[in-house]
mmCIF file of all heavy atoms in Angstrom:
data_model
loop_
_atom_site.group_PDB
_atom_site.id
_atom_site.type_symbol
_atom_site.label_atom_id
_atom_site.label_comp_id
_atom_site.label_asym_id
_atom_site.label_seq_id
_atom_site.Cartn_x
_atom_site.Cartn_y
_atom_site.Cartn_z
ATOM 1 N N TYR T 818 29.799 10.959 47.136
ATOM 2 C CA TYR T 818 30.253 11.915 47.920
ATOM 3 C C TYR T 818 31.637 12.114 47.664
ATOM 4 O O TYR T 818 32.494 11.099 47.757
ATOM 5 C CB TYR T 818 30.198 11.641 49.410
ATOM 6 C CG TYR T 818 28.807 11.672 49.975
ATOM 7 C CD1 TYR T 818 28.037 10.357 49.775
ATOM 8 C CD2 TYR T 818 28.199 12.645 50.401
ATOM 9 C CE1 TYR T 818 26.691 10.276 50.372
ATOM 10 C CE2 TYR T 818 26.900 12.675 51.079
ATOM 11 C CZ TYR T 818 26.182 11.470 50.836
ATOM 12 O OH TYR T 818 24.935 11.460 51.413
ATOM 13 N N HIS T 819 32.294 13.253 47.127
ATOM 14 C CA HIS T 819 33.668 13.432 46.860
ATOM 15 C C HIS T 819 34.293 14.172 48.025
ATOM 16 O O HIS T 819 34.016 15.153 48.453
ATOM 17 C CB HIS T 819 33.842 14.261 45.591
ATOM 18 C CG HIS T 819 35.290 14.508 45.328
ATOM 19 N ND1 HIS T 819 35.689 15.677 44.748
ATOM 20 C CD2 HIS T 819 36.582 13.874 45.563
ATOM 21 C CE1 HIS T 819 36.973 15.845 44.738
ATOM 22 N NE2 HIS T 819 37.531 14.562 45.144
ATOM 23 N N GLU T 820 35.268 13.400 48.702
ATOM 24 C CA GLU T 820 36.096 13.994 49.700
ATOM 25 C C GLU T 820 37.240 14.495 49.104
ATOM 26 O O GLU T 820 38.170 13.668 48.784
ATOM 27 C CB GLU T 820 36.442 12.890 50.848
ATOM 28 C CG GLU T 820 37.126 13.541 52.016
ATOM 29 C CD GLU T 820 37.509 12.575 53.020
ATOM 30 O OE1 GLU T 820 37.059 11.512 53.132
ATOM 31 O OE2 GLU T 820 38.480 12.931 53.733
ATOM 32 N N GLY T 821 37.382 15.765 48.918
ATOM 33 C CA GLY T 821 38.689 16.322 48.375
ATOM 34 C C GLY T 821 39.708 16.311 49.454
ATOM 35 O O GLY T 821 39.607 16.853 50.588
ATOM 36 N N ARG T 822 40.902 15.888 49.113
ATOM 37 C CA ARG T 822 41.876 15.660 50.190
ATOM 38 C C ARG T 822 42.318 17.086 50.704
ATOM 39 O O ARG T 822 42.691 17.176 51.889
ATOM 40 C CB ARG T 822 43.155 15.212 49.385
ATOM 41 C CG ARG T 822 44.264 14.614 50.299
ATOM 42 C CD ARG T 822 43.794 13.362 51.017
ATOM 43 N NE ARG T 822 44.889 12.844 51.785
ATOM 44 C CZ ARG T 822 45.179 13.257 53.010
ATOM 45 N NH1 ARG T 822 44.752 14.369 53.585
ATOM 46 N NH2 ARG T 822 46.326 12.740 53.704
ATOM 47 N N THR T 823 42.401 18.194 49.900
ATOM 48 C CA THR T 823 42.908 19.363 50.225
ATOM 49 C C THR T 823 41.695 20.477 50.439
ATOM 50 O O THR T 823 42.056 21.619 50.563
ATOM 51 C CB THR T 823 43.881 20.109 49.282
ATOM 52 O OG1 THR T 823 43.228 20.247 48.031
ATOM 53 C CG2 THR T 823 45.173 19.147 49.069
ATOM 54 N N THR T 824 40.468 20.084 50.428
ATOM 55 C CA THR T 824 39.332 20.906 50.461
ATOM 56 C C THR T 824 38.365 20.494 51.627
ATOM 57 O O THR T 824 37.253 20.107 51.420
ATOM 58 C CB THR T 824 38.666 20.933 49.165
ATOM 59 O OG1 THR T 824 38.092 19.592 48.792
ATOM 60 C CG2 THR T 824 39.377 21.515 48.117
ATOM 61 N N PRO T 825 38.899 20.555 52.903
ATOM 62 C CA PRO T 825 38.029 20.086 54.043
ATOM 63 C C PRO T 825 36.679 20.894 54.019
ATOM 64 O O PRO T 825 35.472 20.227 54.280
ATOM 65 C CB PRO T 825 38.853 20.308 55.247
ATOM 66 C CG PRO T 825 39.926 21.189 54.826
ATOM 67 C CD PRO T 825 40.257 21.087 53.318
ATOM 68 N N SER T 826 36.761 22.178 53.702
ATOM 69 C CA SER T 826 35.514 22.933 53.861
ATOM 70 C C SER T 826 34.397 22.629 52.815
ATOM 71 O O SER T 826 33.156 22.937 53.014
ATOM 72 C CB SER T 826 35.757 24.421 54.000
ATOM 73 O OG SER T 826 36.470 24.808 52.828
ATOM 74 N N GLN T 827 34.883 22.052 51.775
ATOM 75 C CA GLN T 827 33.940 21.623 50.696
ATOM 76 C C GLN T 827 33.558 20.185 50.758
ATOM 77 O O GLN T 827 32.650 19.772 50.025
ATOM 78 C CB GLN T 827 34.423 21.862 49.337
ATOM 79 C CG GLN T 827 34.749 23.387 48.964
ATOM 80 C CD GLN T 827 35.242 23.555 47.537
ATOM 81 O OE1 GLN T 827 34.657 22.997 46.604
ATOM 82 N NE2 GLN T 827 36.369 24.201 47.432
ATOM 83 N N SER T 828 34.295 19.398 51.657
ATOM 84 C CA SER T 828 34.084 18.017 51.606
ATOM 85 C C SER T 828 33.230 17.740 52.824
ATOM 86 O O SER T 828 33.730 17.195 53.883
ATOM 87 C CB SER T 828 35.340 17.243 51.695
ATOM 88 O OG SER T 828 36.285 17.681 50.549
ATOM 89 N N ASN T 829 31.970 17.933 52.673
ATOM 90 C CA ASN T 829 31.061 17.696 53.809
ATOM 91 C C ASN T 829 31.003 16.325 54.371
ATOM 92 O O ASN T 829 30.504 16.139 55.559
ATOM 93 C CB ASN T 829 29.606 18.247 53.365
ATOM 94 C CG ASN T 829 29.587 19.596 52.970
ATOM 95 O OD1 ASN T 829 29.944 20.516 53.655
ATOM 96 N ND2 ASN T 829 29.214 19.789 51.638
ATOM 97 N N VAL T 830 31.492 15.330 53.608
ATOM 98 C CA VAL T 830 31.286 13.930 53.930
ATOM 99 C C VAL T 830 32.287 13.571 55.042
ATOM 100 O O VAL T 830 32.194 12.541 55.569
ATOM 101 C CB VAL T 830 31.443 13.008 52.684
ATOM 102 C CG1 VAL T 830 32.923 12.936 52.235
ATOM 103 C CG2 VAL T 830 30.834 11.686 52.980
ATOM 104 N N ARG T 831 33.207 14.485 55.283
ATOM 105 C CA ARG T 831 34.229 14.085 56.288
ATOM 106 C C ARG T 831 33.885 13.623 57.637
ATOM 107 O O ARG T 831 34.481 12.929 58.310
ATOM 108 C CB ARG T 831 35.306 15.253 56.552
ATOM 109 C CG ARG T 831 36.248 15.334 55.422
ATOM 110 C CD ARG T 831 37.521 16.052 55.826
ATOM 111 N NE ARG T 831 38.565 15.987 54.751
ATOM 112 C CZ ARG T 831 39.729 16.408 54.819
ATOM 113 N NH1 ARG T 831 40.137 16.900 55.984
ATOM 114 N NH2 ARG T 831 40.444 16.332 53.736
ATOM 115 N N TYR T 832 32.652 14.002 58.132
ATOM 116 C CA TYR T 832 32.237 13.860 59.465
ATOM 117 C C TYR T 832 31.102 12.883 59.490
ATOM 118 O O TYR T 832 30.292 13.026 60.366
ATOM 119 C CB TYR T 832 32.104 15.051 60.287
ATOM 120 C CG TYR T 832 33.344 15.920 60.275
ATOM 121 C CD1 TYR T 832 33.606 17.076 59.378
ATOM 122 C CD2 TYR T 832 34.447 15.424 61.033
ATOM 123 C CE1 TYR T 832 34.729 17.689 59.324
ATOM 124 C CE2 TYR T 832 35.674 16.252 61.043
ATOM 125 C CZ TYR T 832 35.774 17.268 60.109
ATOM 126 O OH TYR T 832 36.953 18.000 60.174
ATOM 127 N N GLY T 833 30.979 11.911 58.691
ATOM 128 C CA GLY T 833 29.901 10.913 58.898
ATOM 129 C C GLY T 833 28.537 11.239 58.077
ATOM 130 O O GLY T 833 27.543 10.573 58.346
ATOM 131 N N LEU T 834 28.610 12.231 57.249
ATOM 132 C CA LEU T 834 27.493 12.734 56.540
ATOM 133 C C LEU T 834 26.830 11.628 55.811
ATOM 134 O O LEU T 834 25.580 11.430 55.878
ATOM 135 C CB LEU T 834 27.720 13.763 55.621
ATOM 136 C CG LEU T 834 26.621 14.390 54.802
ATOM 137 C CD1 LEU T 834 25.650 15.272 55.652
ATOM 138 C CD2 LEU T 834 27.227 15.330 53.647
ATOM 139 N N GLU T 835 27.606 10.798 55.100
ATOM 140 C CA GLU T 835 27.056 9.688 54.268
ATOM 141 C C GLU T 835 26.323 8.698 55.154
ATOM 142 O O GLU T 835 25.209 8.239 54.662
ATOM 143 C CB GLU T 835 28.168 9.146 53.446
ATOM 144 C CG GLU T 835 28.206 7.721 53.136
ATOM 145 C CD GLU T 835 29.230 6.901 53.721
ATOM 146 O OE1 GLU T 835 30.066 7.371 54.501
ATOM 147 O OE2 GLU T 835 29.362 5.648 53.353
ATOM 148 N N VAL T 836 26.852 8.410 56.339
ATOM 149 C CA VAL T 836 26.091 7.457 57.178
ATOM 150 C C VAL T 836 24.681 8.167 57.605
ATOM 151 O O VAL T 836 23.755 7.394 57.605
ATOM 152 C CB VAL T 836 27.133 7.044 58.403
ATOM 153 C CG1 VAL T 836 26.221 6.215 59.375
ATOM 154 C CG2 VAL T 836 28.205 6.297 57.982
ATOM 155 N N ARG T 837 24.832 9.220 57.945
ATOM 156 C CA ARG T 837 23.573 9.750 58.608
ATOM 157 C C ARG T 837 22.542 10.033 57.437
ATOM 158 O O ARG T 837 21.299 9.626 57.551
ATOM 159 C CB ARG T 837 23.714 11.262 59.177
ATOM 160 C CG ARG T 837 24.563 11.166 60.468
ATOM 161 C CD ARG T 837 24.578 12.490 61.213
ATOM 162 N NE ARG T 837 25.296 13.609 60.456
ATOM 163 C CZ ARG T 837 26.493 13.846 60.337
ATOM 164 N NH1 ARG T 837 27.307 13.143 61.001
ATOM 165 N NH2 ARG T 837 26.990 14.883 59.630
ATOM 166 N N LEU T 838 22.943 10.440 56.181
ATOM 167 C CA LEU T 838 22.013 10.547 55.103
ATOM 168 C C LEU T 838 21.521 9.148 54.702
ATOM 169 O O LEU T 838 20.446 9.011 54.201
ATOM 170 C CB LEU T 838 22.654 11.381 53.997
ATOM 171 C CG LEU T 838 22.696 12.840 54.296
ATOM 172 C CD1 LEU T 838 23.389 13.516 53.033
ATOM 173 C CD2 LEU T 838 21.441 13.461 54.688
ATOM 174 N N GLY T 839 22.459 8.232 54.730
ATOM 175 C CA GLY T 839 22.108 6.912 54.304
ATOM 176 C C GLY T 839 20.955 6.386 55.190
ATOM 177 O O GLY T 839 19.891 5.685 54.792
ATOM 178 N N ARG T 840 20.932 6.699 56.479
ATOM 179 C CA ARG T 840 19.877 6.159 57.396
ATOM 180 C C ARG T 840 18.672 6.851 56.980
ATOM 181 O O ARG T 840 17.545 6.313 57.143
ATOM 182 C CB ARG T 840 20.386 6.493 58.819
ATOM 183 C CG ARG T 840 21.139 5.419 59.467
ATOM 184 C CD ARG T 840 21.260 5.570 61.063
ATOM 185 N NE ARG T 840 22.644 5.318 61.410
ATOM 186 C CZ ARG T 840 23.439 6.033 61.983
ATOM 187 N NH1 ARG T 840 22.995 7.207 62.394
ATOM 188 N NH2 ARG T 840 24.633 5.754 62.263
ATOM 189 N N ARG T 841 18.797 8.230 56.863
ATOM 190 C CA ARG T 841 17.565 9.043 56.577
ATOM 191 C C ARG T 841 16.824 8.578 55.219
ATOM 192 O O ARG T 841 15.696 8.655 55.109
ATOM 193 C CB ARG T 841 17.737 10.465 56.526
ATOM 194 C CG ARG T 841 17.714 11.192 57.867
ATOM 195 C CD ARG T 841 18.040 12.577 57.755
ATOM 196 N NE ARG T 841 17.026 13.358 57.336
ATOM 197 C CZ ARG T 841 17.096 14.747 57.401
ATOM 198 N NH1 ARG T 841 18.003 15.431 57.856
ATOM 199 N NH2 ARG T 841 16.051 15.482 56.814
ATOM 200 N N THR T 842 17.656 8.308 54.218
ATOM 201 C CA THR T 842 17.097 8.276 52.906
ATOM 202 C C THR T 842 17.077 6.818 52.337
ATOM 203 O O THR T 842 16.335 6.479 51.297
ATOM 204 C CB THR T 842 17.739 9.029 51.908
ATOM 205 O OG1 THR T 842 19.119 8.715 51.737
ATOM 206 C CG2 THR T 842 17.905 10.540 52.239
ATOM 207 N N GLY T 843 17.964 5.888 52.943
ATOM 208 C CA GLY T 843 17.981 4.640 52.383
ATOM 209 C C GLY T 843 18.825 4.641 50.996
ATOM 210 O O GLY T 843 18.826 3.562 50.309
ATOM 211 N N LEU T 844 19.233 5.734 50.483
ATOM 212 C CA LEU T 844 19.860 5.891 49.164
ATOM 213 C C LEU T 844 21.201 5.156 49.228
ATOM 214 O O LEU T 844 22.087 5.346 50.111
ATOM 215 C CB LEU T 844 19.911 7.307 48.615
ATOM 216 C CG LEU T 844 18.584 7.782 48.200
ATOM 217 C CD1 LEU T 844 18.966 9.368 47.964
ATOM 218 C CD2 LEU T 844 18.195 7.127 46.876
ATOM 219 N N LYS T 845 21.628 4.497 47.983
ATOM 220 C CA LYS T 845 22.995 4.006 47.876
ATOM 221 C C LYS T 845 23.852 5.159 47.816
ATOM 222 O O LYS T 845 23.587 6.136 47.074
ATOM 223 C CB LYS T 845 22.979 3.037 46.715
ATOM 224 C CG LYS T 845 22.220 1.810 46.823
ATOM 225 C CD LYS T 845 22.953 0.594 46.260
ATOM 226 C CE LYS T 845 22.226 -0.701 46.295
ATOM 227 N NZ LYS T 845 21.757 -0.976 47.799
ATOM 228 N N ALA T 846 25.006 4.952 48.510
ATOM 229 C CA ALA T 846 25.966 6.130 48.494
ATOM 230 C C ALA T 846 27.431 5.520 48.130
ATOM 231 O O ALA T 846 27.669 4.424 48.542
ATOM 232 C CB ALA T 846 25.932 6.922 49.716
ATOM 233 N N LEU T 847 28.322 6.361 47.683
ATOM 234 C CA LEU T 847 29.663 5.892 47.478
ATOM 235 C C LEU T 847 30.527 7.115 47.909
ATOM 236 O O LEU T 847 30.297 8.292 47.528
ATOM 237 C CB LEU T 847 29.950 5.642 45.945
ATOM 238 C CG LEU T 847 31.385 5.387 45.574
ATOM 239 C CD1 LEU T 847 31.744 4.101 46.277
ATOM 240 C CD2 LEU T 847 31.473 5.347 44.084
ATOM 241 N N VAL T 848 31.562 6.876 48.741
ATOM 242 C CA VAL T 848 32.533 8.023 48.999
ATOM 243 C C VAL T 848 33.790 7.871 48.143
ATOM 244 O O VAL T 848 34.378 6.807 48.150
ATOM 245 C CB VAL T 848 32.803 7.878 50.588
ATOM 246 C CG1 VAL T 848 33.881 8.940 50.896
ATOM 247 C CG2 VAL T 848 31.537 8.094 51.384
ATOM 248 N N LEU T 849 34.094 8.866 47.589
ATOM 249 C CA LEU T 849 35.305 8.834 46.654
ATOM 250 C C LEU T 849 36.354 9.763 47.430
ATOM 251 O O LEU T 849 36.156 10.859 47.661
ATOM 252 C CB LEU T 849 35.042 9.415 45.314
ATOM 253 C CG LEU T 849 34.171 8.462 44.501
ATOM 254 C CD1 LEU T 849 33.963 9.359 43.145
ATOM 255 C CD2 LEU T 849 34.694 7.210 44.129
ATOM 256 N N GLU T 850 37.523 9.241 47.559
ATOM 257 C CA GLU T 850 38.549 10.016 48.060
ATOM 258 C C GLU T 850 39.332 10.544 46.818
ATOM 259 O O GLU T 850 39.910 9.669 46.057
ATOM 260 C CB GLU T 850 39.600 9.336 49.002
ATOM 261 C CG GLU T 850 38.967 9.058 50.171
ATOM 262 C CD GLU T 850 39.885 8.068 50.998
ATOM 263 O OE1 GLU T 850 39.814 6.857 50.869
ATOM 264 O OE2 GLU T 850 40.774 8.666 51.634
ATOM 265 N N GLY T 851 39.429 11.781 46.664
ATOM 266 C CA GLY T 851 40.013 12.420 45.562
ATOM 267 C C GLY T 851 40.635 13.740 45.840
ATOM 268 O O GLY T 851 40.928 13.932 47.030
ATOM 269 N N ASP T 852 40.680 14.639 44.920
ATOM 270 C CA ASP T 852 41.009 15.994 45.041
ATOM 271 C C ASP T 852 40.609 16.825 43.997
ATOM 272 O O ASP T 852 40.385 16.296 42.788
ATOM 273 C CB ASP T 852 42.584 16.038 45.244
ATOM 274 C CG ASP T 852 43.014 17.472 45.899
ATOM 275 O OD1 ASP T 852 42.483 17.884 46.944
ATOM 276 O OD2 ASP T 852 43.775 18.173 45.137
ATOM 277 N N THR T 853 40.602 18.191 44.173
ATOM 278 C CA THR T 853 40.067 19.062 42.987
ATOM 279 C C THR T 853 41.186 19.116 41.965
ATOM 280 O O THR T 853 40.725 19.205 40.821
ATOM 281 C CB THR T 853 39.704 20.352 43.512
ATOM 282 O OG1 THR T 853 40.774 20.959 44.196
ATOM 283 C CG2 THR T 853 38.490 20.272 44.404
ATOM 284 N N HIS T 854 42.384 19.072 42.457
ATOM 285 C CA HIS T 854 43.538 19.272 41.461
ATOM 286 C C HIS T 854 44.668 18.392 41.461
ATOM 287 O O HIS T 854 45.230 18.176 40.425
ATOM 288 C CB HIS T 854 44.096 20.712 41.635
ATOM 289 C CG HIS T 854 43.198 21.893 41.453
ATOM 290 N ND1 HIS T 854 42.144 22.235 41.944
ATOM 291 C CD2 HIS T 854 43.360 22.775 40.303
ATOM 292 C CE1 HIS T 854 41.431 23.265 41.364
ATOM 293 N NE2 HIS T 854 42.275 23.627 40.393
ATOM 294 N N ASP T 855 44.974 17.870 42.581
ATOM 295 C CA ASP T 855 46.200 17.187 42.737
ATOM 296 C C ASP T 855 46.114 15.631 42.603
ATOM 297 O O ASP T 855 45.754 15.042 43.538
ATOM 298 C CB ASP T 855 46.904 17.495 44.015
ATOM 299 C CG ASP T 855 48.326 17.168 44.198
ATOM 300 O OD1 ASP T 855 48.932 16.418 43.296
ATOM 301 O OD2 ASP T 855 49.084 17.664 45.073
ATOM 302 N N LEU T 856 46.482 15.172 41.429
ATOM 303 C CA LEU T 856 46.391 13.714 41.085
ATOM 304 C C LEU T 856 47.228 12.890 41.913
ATOM 305 O O LEU T 856 47.011 11.735 42.025
ATOM 306 C CB LEU T 856 46.442 13.540 39.525
ATOM 307 C CG LEU T 856 45.487 14.001 38.647
ATOM 308 C CD1 LEU T 856 45.941 13.866 37.254
ATOM 309 C CD2 LEU T 856 44.286 13.358 38.820
ATOM 310 N N ARG T 857 48.157 13.583 42.447
ATOM 311 C CA ARG T 857 49.228 12.690 43.146
ATOM 312 C C ARG T 857 48.672 12.196 44.568
ATOM 313 O O ARG T 857 49.165 11.230 45.108
ATOM 314 C CB ARG T 857 50.556 13.387 43.447
ATOM 315 C CG ARG T 857 51.240 13.883 42.150
ATOM 316 C CD ARG T 857 52.290 14.940 42.500
ATOM 317 N NE ARG T 857 51.753 15.965 43.362
ATOM 318 C CZ ARG T 857 52.598 16.832 44.098
ATOM 319 N NH1 ARG T 857 53.865 16.805 43.897
ATOM 320 N NH2 ARG T 857 52.067 17.698 44.822
ATOM 321 N N LEU T 858 47.675 12.917 44.975
ATOM 322 C CA LEU T 858 47.144 12.657 46.227
ATOM 323 C C LEU T 858 46.216 11.510 46.404
ATOM 324 O O LEU T 858 45.599 11.083 47.464
ATOM 325 C CB LEU T 858 46.498 13.794 46.849
ATOM 326 C CG LEU T 858 47.411 15.090 47.157
ATOM 327 C CD1 LEU T 858 46.662 16.230 47.652
ATOM 328 C CD2 LEU T 858 48.663 14.683 47.939
ATOM 329 N N PHE T 859 45.842 10.928 45.358
ATOM 330 C CA PHE T 859 44.917 9.731 45.367
ATOM 331 C C PHE T 859 45.041 8.953 44.128
ATOM 332 O O PHE T 859 45.715 9.196 43.217
ATOM 333 C CB PHE T 859 43.443 10.226 45.438
ATOM 334 C CG PHE T 859 42.981 11.132 44.247
ATOM 335 C CD1 PHE T 859 42.226 10.537 43.160
ATOM 336 C CD2 PHE T 859 43.387 12.451 44.053
ATOM 337 C CE1 PHE T 859 41.751 11.215 42.163
ATOM 338 C CE2 PHE T 859 42.919 13.090 42.885
ATOM 339 C CZ PHE T 859 42.197 12.420 41.995
ATOM 340 N N SER T 860 44.283 7.803 44.067
ATOM 341 C CA SER T 860 44.450 6.864 42.978
ATOM 342 C C SER T 860 43.210 7.071 42.020
ATOM 343 O O SER T 860 42.079 6.715 42.453
ATOM 344 C CB SER T 860 44.532 5.464 43.464
ATOM 345 O OG SER T 860 44.152 4.560 42.453
#
Side-chain angles (χ1 to χ4, degrees):
Chain T
Y818 294 90
H819 172 216
E820 182 184 340
R822 194 70 173 81
T823 66
T824 55
S826 54
Q827 294 177 50
S828 304
N829 299 299
V830 75
R831 275 199 178 189
Y832 302 102
L834 179 69
E835 153 237 5
V836 171
R837 292 192 299 275
L838 288 183
R840 275 193 221 123
R841 267 178 84 167
T842 65
L844 281 173
K845 292 223 180 308
L847 175 68
V848 176
L849 294 176
E850 286 173 274
D852 189 61
T853 57
H854 286 68
D855 196 345
L856 288 170
R857 303 167 310 164
L858 296 178
F859 65 100
S860 162

